[in-house]
Amino acid sequence: MQVSIACTDHNLKRGNGEHSKQNATSPNVVNQARAKFRTVAIIARSFGSFTPRHISLKESTGKHTGMKYRNLGKSGLRVSCLGLGTWVTFGGQISDEVAEQLMTMAYESGVNLFDTAEVYAGGRAEIILGSIIKKKCWRRSSLVITTKLYWGGKAETERGLSRKHIIEGLKGSLQRMQLEYVDVVFANRPDSNTPMEEIVRAMTYVINQGMAMYWGTSRWTAMEIMRRRRRDQARERGEGRGEGGWRDGGRERGGGREKARGREVGREGGGGRETRRIEGEAYSVARQFNLIPPVCEQAEYHLFQREKVEIQLPELYHKIGKCVGAMTWSPLACGIITGKYENGIPESSRASMKSYQWLKEKIVSEDGRKQQAKLKELNHITEKLGCTLPQLAVAWCLRNEGVSSVLLGTSNPEQLTENLGAIQVLPKMTSHIVSEIDHILANRPYTKKDYRS
């Protein structure tokens, strides 16, 4: 109420500025208006319309579904805190009918975010996703569709992040999905063979052409988004982004790729100095040339993979003064956190598939056995909260305020229903519960500041 009155005061003074100069002996004008406003406010409050509330713009809850929505980084794009991914499942592990069933269940539960990539099932995942959207006649404006570019084909020019492949690759994705645009297009990994300026200019171009609304990075380290070159700092202090900031200034596939990606599961901070240097230039180049910077990073995040999302990205936010949203994937660590591998490898599981030999090796390794032992220790927490282990794991990811959305990868309706139930567990994730989990896992990452203190 005080805020409303203050704003009214300001508007009255601004609107009667000249009159006040001419008739300085009429100070009662503002007081009378304020009195009238108070009277109206008191009457309205009696009907419940003006009940004082502290409404957070960062998170809201769907009236009919209970789904929570958050801003994607500092953008105005509102995404459901749970999204549906299509890696492995669409066009591969599940039938088209099950894919439609899963998308329908997710959409009706309030999920508006659906993620895919040009490489998933050789493009089949995008085709299935687009066909379902068209068949269901969902309003395009109610959806947030994201795709990723890097592995587009076998030819040398059909992969990477060259301007040619970013533009042609995105056109191909849009054709397969039968869409006019995607909401976010991701660079699916860093490309050391392409200058950063070329990547950022190409992403700015596809946005200005209406092919995408935003762009982001996937599996880049924090320093790859941030600057590294000190010589840019002085220039940037003098230039900034300005009004022209939104104008363009000017090999693995299929199972092979899955194996490569699998080797990164559970590995902290993969990338090294060269990878950090590349991402450092992305944001620097965007600001230096008044181009569009990435708005989001897609990162692996789960109970056993924490450093990037909890340490590296927050440090980036502090340095650049801008929140780069985190859209996280694999909250159940490719099924490891579900508990189904506690007594071995079930025949119908992902780890039993030939292309997932790396996952099987990880599960049966010494580290894998230690992880399963820690998961058993979490059972008393799940019993206390009245939830399942997967629900606890997903809610644990969501409790991080830096996470805009968590992508779910499910192969059947039962799994999806269970994972969506994490929304009800989220309010129970108190600081005490989180501390209990940290104590059991004993893997909480620390910053240099933590060590000094």
Side-chain angles (χ1 to χ4, degrees):
M1 183 58 64
Q2 292 176 350
V3 174
S4 299
I5 293 174
C7 293
T8 303
D9 246 1
H10 174 73
N11 292 334
L12 283 170
K13 290 178 181 178
R14 183 178 61 183
N16 295 286
E18 294 185 4
H19 175 71
S20 297
K21 292 179 182 177
Q22 295 174 2
N23 188 7
T25 61
S26 303
N28 292 331
V29 174
V30 173
N31 291 333
Q32 291 173 357
R34 183 183 298 172
K36 290 180 180 179
F37 182 84
R38 282 183 179 140
T39 302
V40 173
I42 291 171
I43 296 172
R45 183 180 296 169
S46 67
F47 291 99
S49 303
F50 275 66
T51 304
R53 294 175 182 174
H54 296 285
I55 300 176
S56 173
L57 294 178
K58 293 183 180 179
E59 183 173 275
S60 60
T61 304
K63 294 181 180 179
H64 304 294
T65 63
M67 178 58 65
K68 296 185 181 299
Y69 300 89
R70 300 173 178 178
N71 282 53
L72 185 60
K74 283 291 186 180
S75 76
L77 184 62
R78 301 289 284 177
V79 296
S80 52
C81 68
L82 293 177
L84 183 64
T86 60
W87 179 41
V88 181
T89 53
F90 282 41
Q93 194 175 9
I94 63 177
S95 66
D96 295 2
E97 291 73 23
V98 173
E100 180 179 343
Q101 189 176 2
L102 293 176
M103 277 193 69
T104 303
M105 287 179 58
Y107 185 77
E108 292 178 350
S109 299
V111 172
N112 69 0
L113 173 61
F114 298 92
D115 176 75
T116 188
E118 63 174 351
V119 71
Y120 292 173
R124 277 281 298 161
E126 290 181 324
I127 293 174
I128 295 170
L129 179 71
S131 298
I132 294 172
I133 293 173
K134 185 175 182 180
K135 179 180 179 180
K136 304 299 290 189
C137 296
W138 291 329
R139 298 190 316 280
R140 178 63 183 89
S141 57
S142 70
L143 301 169
V144 177
I145 306 299
T146 67
T147 193
K148 296 179 286 293
L149 303 174
Y150 192 94
W151 293 277
K154 296 180 180 180
E156 197 68 24
T157 54
E158 293 176 329
R159 57 177 178 264
L161 298 177
S162 67
R163 180 182 180 92
K164 176 180 175 65
H165 182 58
I166 287 176
I167 296 173
E168 293 179 345
L170 183 53
K171 285 182 178 180
S173 291
L174 294 177
Q175 289 174 357
R176 286 188 290 274
M177 289 187 283
Q178 304 177 69
L179 299 176
E180 294 181 357
Y181 67 93
V182 292
D183 295 276
V184 187
V185 56
F186 287 96
N188 206 7
R189 57 156 286 178
D191 182 3
S192 59
N193 293 322
T194 302
M196 185 57 65
E197 182 181 343
E198 180 177 342
I199 296 172
V200 180
R201 285 189 181 278
M203 289 297 190
T204 300
Y205 174 81
V206 296
I207 290 174
N208 288 338
Q209 291 297 309
M211 299 165 65
M213 299 293 187
Y214 307 88
W215 79 278
T217 57
S218 179
R219 297 188 294 157
W220 292 28
T221 66
M223 289 305 295
E224 287 170 328
I225 303 172
M226 176 54 188
R227 74 171 58 257
R228 179 178 183 269
R229 297 169 297 173
R230 292 186 177 180
R231 65 175 181 271
D232 289 338
Q233 294 177 349
R235 182 187 298 116
E236 197 172 281
R237 282 194 295 269
E239 292 182 359
R241 265 190 53 193
E243 295 182 358
W246 297 93
R247 294 194 298 269
D248 182 10
R251 22 211 181 238
E252 297 162 284
R253 293 182 58 87
R257 177 181 176 277
E258 290 167 351
K259 291 178 182 178
R261 189 170 193 174
R263 285 192 291 270
E264 298 178 5
V265 175
R267 182 184 300 170
E268 294 283 8
R273 293 184 178 179
E274 178 63 19
T275 309
R276 291 173 180 269
R277 182 190 69 78
I278 298 171
E279 190 162 300
E281 289 181 325
Y283 204 88
S284 173
V285 166
R287 301 183 72 177
Q288 178 183 349
F289 296 104
N290 288 341
L291 303 173
I292 303 176
V295 71
C296 177
E297 159 66 13
Q298 258 197 27
E300 181 182 4
Y301 184 49
H302 51 73
L303 293 171
F304 301 119
Q305 181 88 334
R306 307 179 57 174
E307 183 176 345
K308 180 177 182 179
V309 173
E310 296 184 12
I311 301 296
Q312 294 180 10
L313 292 181
E315 288 179 348
L316 169 66
Y317 306 158
H318 177 73
K319 289 179 181 178
I320 68 177
K322 182 179 178 69
C323 178
V324 178
M327 185 185 296
T328 66
W329 50 275
S330 197
L332 303 180
C334 293
I336 291 176
I337 300 176
T338 61
K340 64 184 176 183
Y341 296 117
E342 181 179 340
N343 300 314
I345 311 295
E347 292 184 3
S348 59
S349 66
R350 185 178 299 183
S352 65
M353 300 169 63
K354 290 184 179 181
S355 58
Y356 283 85
Q357 185 64 29
W358 57 267
L359 180 59
K360 180 179 179 180
E361 293 173 357
K362 179 175 178 59
I363 293 170
V364 300
S365 68
E366 183 178 353
D367 287 341
R369 290 194 295 272
K370 289 180 180 178
Q371 289 179 349
Q372 290 300 319
K374 290 183 177 181
L375 292 177
K376 285 184 180 180
E377 294 184 51
L378 293 176
N379 286 336
H380 80 277
I381 297 180
T382 61
E383 292 175 0
K384 183 192 307 183
L385 300 183
C387 67
T388 65
L389 183 57
Q391 289 174 337
L392 177 68
V394 174
W396 179 87
C397 294
L398 289 175
R399 110 282 178 208
N400 188 326
E401 294 181 353
V403 173
S404 298
S405 187
V406 174
L407 296 176
L408 305 174
T410 59
S411 58
N412 60 65
E414 293 73 27
Q415 287 180 359
L416 180 58
T417 300
E418 179 182 17
N419 292 346
L420 290 173
I423 295 293
Q424 280 69 51
V425 182
L426 182 57
K428 303 177 184 178
M429 297 297 293
T430 62
S431 57
H432 177 68
I433 293 296
V434 174
S435 295
E436 275 193 77
I437 295 174
D438 284 340
H439 179 71
I440 293 172
L441 297 179
N443 65 350
R444 181 188 169 198
Y446 290 93
T447 63
K448 294 179 180 179
K449 181 179 178 181
D450 293 328
Y451 285 118
R452 287 197 298 268
S453 60

